[in-house]
Protein backbone atom coordinates (compact mmCIF):
# COMPACT_ATOMS: atom_id res chain seq x y z
CA UNK A 1 0.00 0.00 0.00
CA UNK A 2 1.26 3.47 -0.87
CA UNK A 3 2.15 5.86 1.89
CA UNK A 4 -0.24 8.80 2.14
CA UNK A 5 0.63 12.46 2.61
CA UNK A 6 -1.42 15.63 2.94
CA UNK A 7 0.48 18.76 1.88
CA UNK A 8 -0.74 22.18 2.96
CA UNK A 9 0.20 24.73 0.31
CA UNK A 10 -0.10 28.44 -0.46
CA UNK A 11 -1.10 28.60 -4.12
CA UNK A 12 -4.62 30.02 -4.42
CA UNK A 13 -3.84 32.65 -1.80
CA UNK A 14 -1.32 34.20 -4.22
CA UNK A 15 -3.15 34.17 -7.56
CA UNK A 16 -1.24 36.97 -9.29
CA UNK A 17 2.43 37.66 -10.05
CA UNK A 18 3.50 34.80 -7.78
CA UNK A 19 4.67 31.89 -9.93
CA UNK A 20 7.80 31.45 -7.84
CA UNK A 21 5.81 31.45 -4.63
CA UNK A 22 3.42 28.78 -5.96
CA UNK A 23 6.30 26.50 -6.91
CA UNK A 24 7.96 26.83 -3.52
CA UNK A 25 4.94 24.87 -2.28
CA UNK A 26 4.21 22.61 -5.24
CA UNK A 27 7.71 21.07 -5.23
CA UNK A 28 6.93 19.20 -2.00
CA UNK A 29 3.71 17.64 -3.26
CA UNK A 30 5.17 16.75 -6.64
CA UNK A 31 8.32 15.40 -5.04
CA UNK A 32 6.43 13.09 -2.73
CA UNK A 33 4.27 11.89 -5.60
CA UNK A 34 7.36 11.15 -7.70
CA UNK A 35 8.66 9.09 -4.78
CA UNK A 36 5.54 6.92 -5.00
CA UNK A 37 3.43 8.53 -2.29
CA UNK A 38 -0.30 9.11 -2.58
CA UNK A 39 -0.59 12.89 -2.06
CA UNK A 40 -3.50 15.22 -1.34
CA UNK A 41 -2.98 18.98 -1.69
CA UNK A 42 -4.93 21.30 0.61
CA UNK A 43 -5.20 25.02 1.13
CA UNK A 44 -7.40 27.13 3.39
CA UNK A 45 -8.20 30.76 2.60
CA UNK A 46 -9.62 33.55 4.71
CA UNK A 47 -12.70 35.29 3.33
CA UNK A 48 -10.78 38.54 2.85
CA UNK A 49 -8.33 36.79 0.51
CA UNK A 50 -11.04 36.02 -2.05
CA UNK A 51 -10.91 38.61 -4.84
CA UNK A 52 -11.96 39.12 -8.44
CA UNK A 53 -9.75 40.66 -11.12
CA UNK A 54 -10.75 44.13 -9.98
CA UNK A 55 -9.65 43.38 -6.42
CA UNK A 56 -13.19 43.29 -5.06
CA UNK A 57 -14.28 40.79 -2.40
CA UNK A 58 -16.27 37.95 -3.95
CA UNK A 59 -17.38 34.40 -3.10
CA UNK A 60 -14.95 31.58 -3.81
CA UNK A 61 -16.80 30.52 -6.98
CA UNK A 62 -16.26 33.96 -8.55
CA UNK A 63 -12.69 34.49 -7.40
CA UNK A 64 -9.40 34.64 -9.25
CA UNK A 65 -8.13 32.42 -6.45
CA UNK A 66 -10.21 29.47 -7.63
CA UNK A 67 -9.32 30.10 -11.28
CA UNK A 68 -5.62 30.12 -10.41
CA UNK A 69 -5.93 26.99 -8.25
CA UNK A 70 -7.68 24.99 -10.97
CA UNK A 71 -5.33 26.17 -13.70
CA UNK A 72 -2.18 25.27 -11.79
CA UNK A 73 -3.46 21.80 -10.88
CA UNK A 74 -4.50 21.16 -14.48
CA UNK A 75 -1.12 22.26 -15.82
CA UNK A 76 0.84 19.95 -13.52
CA UNK A 77 -1.47 17.05 -14.26
CA UNK A 78 -2.79 16.74 -10.71
CA UNK A 79 -5.77 14.45 -10.17
CA UNK A 80 -8.81 15.10 -7.97
CA UNK A 81 -6.80 14.74 -4.76
CA UNK A 82 -6.91 18.43 -3.91
CA UNK A 83 -9.16 20.54 -1.71
CA UNK A 84 -9.44 24.32 -1.57
CA UNK A 85 -11.26 25.55 1.52
CA UNK A 86 -12.45 29.09 2.18
CA UNK A 87 -13.76 30.72 5.34
CA UNK A 88 -17.56 30.89 5.30
CA UNK A 89 -17.88 28.69 2.21
CA UNK A 90 -19.39 25.21 2.00
CA UNK A 91 -16.81 22.89 0.47
CA UNK A 92 -16.97 19.09 0.41
CA UNK A 93 -14.56 17.98 3.15
CA UNK A 94 -15.36 14.30 3.59
CA UNK A 95 -13.02 12.92 0.89
CA UNK A 96 -10.12 14.81 2.51
CA UNK A 97 -11.13 13.60 5.98
CA UNK A 98 -11.26 10.01 4.75
CA UNK A 99 -7.88 10.31 3.08
CA UNK A 100 -6.25 11.99 6.08
CA UNK A 101 -7.55 9.45 8.59
CA UNK A 102 -4.54 7.24 9.17
CA UNK A 103 -2.33 9.06 6.64
CA UNK A 104 1.40 8.90 7.29
CA UNK A 105 2.40 12.54 6.83
CA UNK A 106 1.03 16.07 6.91
CA UNK A 107 3.35 18.84 5.70
CA UNK A 108 2.12 22.32 6.60
CA UNK A 109 4.27 24.64 4.53
CA UNK A 110 4.73 27.98 6.32
CA UNK A 111 1.79 27.00 8.52
CA UNK A 112 -0.65 28.16 5.83
CA UNK A 113 -3.20 25.42 6.46
CA UNK A 114 -5.32 26.30 9.48
CA UNK A 115 -7.83 23.46 9.80
CA UNK A 116 -6.13 21.10 12.26
CA UNK A 117 -9.37 19.16 12.75
CA UNK A 118 -9.02 17.80 9.23
CA UNK A 119 -5.54 16.37 9.74
CA UNK A 120 -5.45 15.54 13.46
CA UNK A 121 -5.38 11.79 12.75
CA UNK A 122 -2.29 12.00 10.55
CA UNK A 123 0.67 10.28 12.22
CA UNK A 124 3.43 12.85 11.54
CA UNK A 125 2.22 16.45 11.39
CA UNK A 126 5.14 18.62 10.28
CA UNK A 127 5.35 22.39 10.31
CA UNK A 128 7.78 23.46 7.56
CA UNK A 129 9.28 26.89 8.18
CA UNK A 130 10.15 28.69 4.94
CA UNK A 131 11.24 31.95 6.61
CA UNK A 132 13.84 31.13 9.30
CA UNK A 133 14.62 33.76 11.94
CA UNK A 134 11.56 35.80 11.01
CA UNK A 135 9.21 32.94 11.92
CA UNK A 136 10.81 32.54 15.34
CA UNK A 137 11.06 36.29 16.04
CA UNK A 138 7.46 36.90 15.02
CA UNK A 139 6.34 34.13 17.35
CA UNK A 140 8.54 34.86 20.37
CA UNK A 141 8.99 38.63 20.30
CA UNK A 142 5.87 39.90 18.55
CA UNK A 143 3.55 37.14 19.80
CA UNK A 144 2.23 36.64 16.27
CA UNK A 145 -0.02 33.57 15.78
CA UNK A 146 2.22 31.32 13.72
CA UNK A 147 -0.06 28.24 13.82
CA UNK A 148 2.49 26.01 15.57
CA UNK A 149 -0.10 24.05 17.57
CA UNK A 150 -1.26 20.68 16.30
CA UNK A 151 2.12 19.75 14.83
CA UNK A 152 4.48 17.16 16.30
CA UNK A 153 7.59 17.86 14.19
CA UNK A 154 9.23 21.08 13.00
CA UNK A 155 11.42 21.54 9.92
CA UNK A 156 13.07 24.63 8.44
CA UNK A 157 14.79 25.50 5.17
CA UNK A 158 17.35 27.30 7.30
CA UNK A 159 20.21 24.83 7.05
CA UNK A 160 21.69 26.27 10.24
CA UNK A 161 18.52 25.82 12.29
CA UNK A 162 19.37 23.64 15.25
CA UNK A 163 22.99 23.78 14.09
CA UNK A 164 24.20 27.21 15.16
CA UNK A 165 21.56 29.66 13.92
CA UNK A 166 20.99 32.51 16.37
CA UNK A 167 17.20 32.71 16.76
CA UNK A 168 14.74 32.92 19.67
CA UNK A 169 13.80 29.66 21.35
CA UNK A 170 10.20 28.90 20.46
CA UNK A 171 10.23 25.60 22.32
CA UNK A 172 10.49 23.55 19.14
CA UNK A 173 13.32 21.34 17.89
CA UNK A 174 13.78 22.76 14.39
CA UNK A 175 15.36 20.34 11.91
CA UNK A 176 17.12 21.59 8.78
CA UNK A 177 15.79 20.49 5.37
CA UNK A 178 16.65 21.45 1.80
CA UNK A 179 14.08 23.09 -0.50
CA UNK A 180 13.35 20.36 -3.09
CA UNK A 181 12.92 20.62 -6.83
CA UNK A 182 10.91 18.44 -9.18
CA UNK A 183 13.31 18.14 -12.09
CA UNK A 184 10.51 16.71 -14.21
CA UNK A 185 9.42 20.34 -14.56
CA UNK A 186 12.64 22.24 -13.78
CA UNK A 187 15.42 21.03 -16.02
CA UNK A 188 16.91 22.03 -19.36
CA UNK A 189 15.17 19.04 -20.92
CA UNK A 190 11.79 20.17 -19.57
CA UNK A 191 12.22 23.68 -20.94
CA UNK A 192 13.88 23.02 -24.27
CA UNK A 193 14.70 26.28 -26.03
CA UNK A 194 13.21 29.06 -23.84
CA UNK A 195 11.23 31.46 -26.01
CA UNK A 196 8.80 34.33 -25.50
CA UNK A 197 8.89 37.80 -24.03
CA UNK A 198 10.10 36.71 -20.59
CA UNK A 199 12.88 34.63 -22.12
CA UNK A 200 13.96 37.53 -24.31
CA UNK A 201 13.93 39.85 -21.30
CA UNK A 202 16.31 37.71 -19.29
CA UNK A 203 18.41 36.24 -22.06
CA UNK A 204 22.12 36.13 -21.14
CA UNK A 205 21.59 38.54 -18.25
CA UNK A 206 22.50 38.00 -14.61
CA UNK A 207 19.06 38.18 -13.02
CA UNK A 208 17.00 37.57 -9.93
CA UNK A 209 13.36 37.87 -8.88
CA UNK A 210 12.70 39.51 -5.54
CA UNK A 211 10.42 41.51 -3.27
CA UNK A 212 12.57 44.58 -2.70
CA UNK A 213 11.10 45.36 0.70
CA UNK A 214 8.72 42.49 1.46
CA UNK A 215 7.67 42.79 5.07
CA UNK A 216 9.06 45.14 7.68
CA UNK A 217 12.28 44.55 9.55
CA UNK A 218 11.99 43.05 13.04
CA UNK A 219 14.11 43.39 16.17
CA UNK A 220 15.35 40.95 18.79
CA UNK A 221 17.78 41.58 21.61
CA UNK A 222 18.77 44.97 20.24
CA UNK A 223 19.55 43.77 16.71
CA UNK A 224 17.61 44.45 13.53
CA UNK A 225 16.65 41.66 11.16
CA UNK A 226 16.02 43.38 7.85
CA UNK A 227 14.57 42.61 4.45
CA UNK A 228 16.54 42.62 1.17
CA UNK A 229 16.67 46.37 0.57
CA UNK A 230 19.69 47.07 2.84
CA UNK A 231 21.53 44.09 1.36
CA UNK A 232 20.91 45.33 -2.19
CA UNK A 233 22.27 48.72 -1.10
CA UNK A 234 25.58 47.12 -0.10
CA UNK A 235 25.84 45.82 -3.68
CA UNK A 236 24.76 48.98 -5.49
CA UNK A 237 28.15 49.54 -7.14
CA UNK A 238 28.45 45.91 -8.32
CA UNK A 239 27.70 46.74 -12.01
CA UNK A 240 30.37 49.43 -12.23
CA UNK A 241 32.87 47.24 -10.40
CA UNK A 242 32.13 44.02 -12.33
CA UNK A 243 31.23 45.39 -15.74
CA UNK A 244 27.98 43.41 -15.62
CA UNK A 245 24.54 45.05 -15.60
CA UNK A 246 22.07 42.84 -13.69
CA UNK A 247 18.33 42.71 -14.26
CA UNK A 248 16.04 42.45 -11.23
CA UNK A 249 12.36 41.58 -11.57
CA UNK A 250 10.91 43.30 -8.52
CA UNK A 251 8.16 45.42 -7.05
CA UNK A 252 10.48 48.39 -6.44
CA UNK A 253 8.58 51.46 -7.59
CA UNK A 254 9.89 54.69 -9.04
CA UNK A 255 11.76 57.06 -6.76
CA UNK A 256 15.14 58.15 -5.50
CA UNK A 257 16.31 54.67 -4.46
CA UNK A 258 15.60 53.22 -7.88
CA UNK A 259 17.26 56.19 -9.59
CA UNK A 260 20.47 55.63 -7.64
CA UNK A 261 20.58 51.97 -8.62
CA UNK A 262 19.83 52.64 -12.28
CA UNK A 263 22.60 55.22 -12.43
CA UNK A 264 24.93 52.53 -11.07
CA UNK A 265 23.99 50.14 -13.88
CA UNK A 266 21.08 48.12 -12.50
CA UNK A 267 17.95 47.46 -14.57
CA UNK A 268 14.53 46.74 -13.10
CA UNK A 269 11.39 45.20 -14.53
CA UNK A 270 7.97 44.90 -12.97
CA UNK A 271 6.88 41.35 -12.05
CA UNK A 272 3.70 40.94 -14.09
CA UNK A 273 5.08 39.69 -17.43
CA UNK A 274 7.51 37.29 -15.74
CA UNK A 275 5.70 36.07 -12.64
CA UNK A 276 2.04 35.79 -13.67
CA UNK A 277 2.50 32.53 -15.56
CA UNK A 278 4.88 29.85 -14.35
CA UNK A 279 5.93 28.87 -17.88
CA UNK A 280 7.07 32.45 -18.50
CA UNK A 281 8.79 32.47 -15.13
CA UNK A 282 10.62 29.26 -16.01
CA UNK A 283 11.62 30.61 -19.42
CA UNK A 284 12.99 33.76 -17.78
CA UNK A 285 15.18 31.79 -15.38
CA UNK A 286 16.27 29.31 -18.04
CA UNK A 287 17.37 32.03 -20.46
CA UNK A 288 19.29 33.98 -17.81
CA UNK A 289 23.07 33.90 -17.60
CA UNK A 290 22.76 33.10 -13.91
CA UNK A 291 21.34 34.40 -10.66
CA UNK A 292 22.99 37.15 -8.64
CA UNK A 293 21.16 37.90 -5.43
CA UNK A 294 21.51 39.05 -1.86
CA UNK A 295 19.59 37.38 0.94
CA UNK A 296 17.32 39.07 3.44
CA UNK A 297 19.40 40.78 6.08
CA UNK A 298 17.62 38.82 8.78
CA UNK A 299 18.81 35.52 7.33
CA UNK A 300 22.37 36.81 7.30
CA UNK A 301 22.32 38.31 10.79
CA UNK A 302 20.85 35.18 12.33
CA UNK A 303 23.22 32.85 10.45
CA UNK A 304 20.22 30.75 9.51
CA UNK A 305 21.83 28.95 6.60
CA UNK A 306 18.75 29.91 4.57
CA UNK A 307 18.89 28.74 0.97
CA UNK A 308 16.55 30.07 -1.70
CA UNK A 309 13.90 27.90 -3.35
CA UNK A 310 14.32 30.23 -6.35
CA UNK A 311 18.08 29.58 -6.50
CA UNK A 312 17.26 25.87 -6.55
CA UNK A 313 15.37 26.45 -9.80
CA UNK A 314 18.22 28.34 -11.45
CA UNK A 315 20.62 25.53 -10.51
CA UNK A 316 18.27 22.84 -11.78
CA UNK A 317 18.07 24.69 -15.11
CA UNK A 318 21.87 24.70 -15.33
CA UNK A 319 22.23 28.38 -14.47
CA UNK A 320 25.05 29.32 -12.06
CA UNK A 321 24.03 31.01 -8.81
CA UNK A 322 26.00 33.73 -7.01
CA UNK A 323 24.21 34.00 -3.67
CA UNK A 324 24.92 35.90 -0.49
CA UNK A 325 26.25 33.77 2.33
CA UNK A 326 23.88 33.02 5.20
CA UNK A 327 25.87 30.02 6.38
CA UNK A 328 24.40 27.75 3.68
CA UNK A 329 27.87 26.84 2.34
CA UNK A 330 28.46 24.77 5.50
CA UNK A 331 25.98 22.22 4.16
CA UNK A 332 25.95 22.62 0.37
CA UNK A 333 28.84 22.26 -2.10
CA UNK A 334 30.14 25.75 -2.84
CA UNK A 335 32.51 26.94 -5.54
CA UNK A 336 31.46 25.41 -8.85
CA UNK A 337 28.08 26.50 -10.18
CA UNK A 338 26.93 27.52 -6.72
CA UNK A 339 29.06 30.36 -5.39
CA UNK A 340 28.87 32.38 -2.17
CA UNK A 341 29.82 35.97 -1.39
CA UNK A 342 29.86 38.00 1.81
CA UNK A 343 30.84 41.46 0.56
CA UNK A 344 30.80 43.66 -2.53
CA UNK A 345 34.46 42.90 -3.18
CA UNK A 346 33.80 39.16 -3.07
CA UNK A 347 30.72 39.49 -5.28
CA UNK A 348 32.84 41.27 -7.92
CA UNK A 349 35.65 38.74 -7.81
CA UNK A 350 33.42 35.67 -7.73
CA UNK A 351 31.36 36.65 -10.79
CA UNK A 352 34.60 37.18 -12.72
CA UNK A 353 35.68 33.68 -11.74
CA UNK A 354 32.39 32.25 -12.98
CA UNK A 355 32.62 34.09 -16.28
CA UNK A 356 36.17 32.81 -16.88
CA UNK A 357 34.88 29.22 -16.96
CA UNK A 358 31.18 29.62 -17.50
CA UNK A 359 30.59 26.24 -19.13
CA UNK A 360 32.09 24.41 -16.14
CA UNK A 361 30.01 26.47 -13.72
CA UNK A 362 26.88 25.73 -15.73
CA UNK A 363 27.59 22.00 -15.47
CA UNK A 364 28.40 22.43 -11.80
CA UNK A 365 25.08 24.15 -11.15
CA UNK A 366 23.16 21.26 -12.64
CA UNK A 367 25.26 18.76 -10.72
CA UNK A 368 24.38 20.40 -7.39
CA UNK A 369 20.71 20.20 -8.30
CA UNK A 370 20.93 16.59 -9.39
CA UNK A 371 22.95 15.33 -6.44
CA UNK A 372 21.62 17.41 -3.54
CA UNK A 373 18.40 19.24 -4.35
CA UNK A 374 16.41 16.87 -6.53
CA UNK A 375 13.24 16.02 -4.62
CA UNK A 376 14.05 12.33 -4.99
CA UNK A 377 17.11 12.91 -2.80
CA UNK A 378 16.25 15.87 -0.58
CA UNK A 379 12.79 14.80 0.58
CA UNK A 380 13.95 11.34 1.81
CA UNK A 381 16.68 13.13 3.76
CA UNK A 382 14.02 15.31 5.37
CA UNK A 383 11.83 12.31 6.16
CA UNK A 384 14.75 10.73 8.01
CA UNK A 385 14.15 13.32 10.77
CA UNK A 386 10.83 11.61 11.61
Amino acid sequence: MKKRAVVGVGVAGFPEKAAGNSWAFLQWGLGLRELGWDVWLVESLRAKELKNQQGQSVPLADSVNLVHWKRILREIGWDDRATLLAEGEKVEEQPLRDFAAGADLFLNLSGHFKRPDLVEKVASRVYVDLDPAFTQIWAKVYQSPMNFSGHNAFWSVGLGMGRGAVVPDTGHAWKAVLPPVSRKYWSKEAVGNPVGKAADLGRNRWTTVAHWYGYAAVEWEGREYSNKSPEFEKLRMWPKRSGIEPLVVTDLGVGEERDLFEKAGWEFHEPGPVCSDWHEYRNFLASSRGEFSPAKGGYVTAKTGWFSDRSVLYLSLGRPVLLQETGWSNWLPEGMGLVAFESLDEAVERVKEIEKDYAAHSRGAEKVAEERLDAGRSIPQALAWL
Side-chain angles (χ1 to χ4, degrees), residues 13 64 89 152 335:
V64 293
E89 301 266 356
N152 54 22

Side-chain angles (χ1 to χ4, degrees), residues 307-386:
F307 192 75
S308 168
D309 52 77
R310 180 193 56 259
S311 296
V312 170
L313 303 183
Y314 277 96
L315 292 168
S316 193
L317 294 166
R319 303 296 91 185
V321 168
L322 179 57
L323 183 66
Q324 186 175 7
E325 179 70 277
T326 63
W328 57 260
S329 66
N330 291 319
W331 294 282
L332 281 171
E334 190 275 338
M336 184 55 68
L338 175 56
V339 181
F341 69 88
E342 295 188 55
S343 66
L344 172 60
D345 287 343
E346 281 192 356
V348 171
E349 292 305 315
R350 301 310 297 274
V351 77
K352 291 178 179 178
E353 292 171 8
I354 295 171
E355 290 289 358
K356 285 179 180 177
D357 198 356
Y358 181 82
H361 278 279
S362 180
R363 292 192 298 270
E366 197 168 9
K367 183 178 180 181
V368 173
E370 290 175 345
E371 296 183 355
R372 298 299 304 278
L373 302 168
D374 184 285
R377 294 176 181 267
S378 60
I379 290 180
Q381 289 176 351
L383 293 173
W385 286 121
L386 299 176

Side-chain angles (χ1 to χ4, degrees), residues 236-278:
R236 180 154 54 92
M237 300 309 295
W238 188 76
K240 290 189 178 298
R241 294 275 306 278
S242 66
I244 295 171
E245 296 185 353
L247 171 65
V248 182
V249 173
T250 184
D251 49 6
L252 176 64
V254 296
E256 182 180 358
E257 185 175 14
R258 179 169 180 155
D259 290 344
L260 289 171
F261 273 84
E262 288 179 335
K263 288 176 182 177
W266 294 74
E267 184 178 341
F268 300 102
H269 202 281
E270 66 98 6
V274 173
C275 299
S276 294
D277 179 278
W278 72 268

Side-chain angles (χ1 to χ4, degrees), residues 74-243:
R74 182 177 66 251
E75 290 177 346
I76 63 173
W78 204 267
D79 55 21
D80 59 353
R81 281 172 160 72
T83 302
L84 178 61
L85 303 169
E87 181 182 27
E89 301 266 356
K90 289 186 178 180
V91 177
E92 177 58 59
E93 299 177 357
Q94 196 58 49
L96 170 59
R97 288 184 181 275
D98 293 342
F99 182 89
D104 303 275
L105 178 68
F106 169 53
L107 294 182
N108 197 357
L109 303 169
S110 277
H112 272 293
F113 191 65
K114 297 179 174 64
R115 286 290 306 277
D117 59 299
L118 293 174
V119 292
E120 60 187 359
K121 294 182 180 179
V122 179
S124 295
R125 301 178 302 281
V126 185
Y127 187 106
V128 185
D129 167 30
L130 304 184
D131 219 353
F134 291 94
T135 295
Q136 291 72 31
I137 293 172
W138 286 329
K140 190 75 172 183
V141 179
Y142 295 83
Q143 302 299 305
S144 300
M146 299 306 295
N147 196 30
F148 290 154
S149 64
H151 303 88
N152 54 22
F154 295 82
W155 297 351
S156 176
V157 296
L159 302 182
M161 295 294 287
R163 302 189 285 192
V166 184
V167 299
D169 182 6
T170 60
H172 306 101
W174 297 98
K175 303 297 185 183
V177 297
L178 288 164
V181 59
S182 170
R183 303 201 72 244
K184 175 182 178 181
Y185 294 92
W186 295 90
S187 65
K188 289 186 292 187
E189 292 74 19
V191 178
N193 180 33
V195 296
K197 291 182 179 180
D200 292 340
L201 178 67
R203 198 171 310 279
N204 293 323
R205 302 285 300 275
W206 282 89
T207 67
T208 194
V209 181
H211 287 293
W212 194 264
Y213 297 111
Y215 32 74
V218 295
E219 293 185 1
W220 175 53
E221 294 189 342
R223 302 187 74 180
E224 182 177 87
Y225 295 76
S226 65
N227 52 44
K228 280 192 175 181
S229 176
E231 303 307 308
F232 269 114
E233 175 59 32
K234 296 173 184 177
L235 301 170
R236 180 154 54 92
M237 300 309 295
W238 188 76
K240 290 189 178 298
R241 294 275 306 278
S242 66

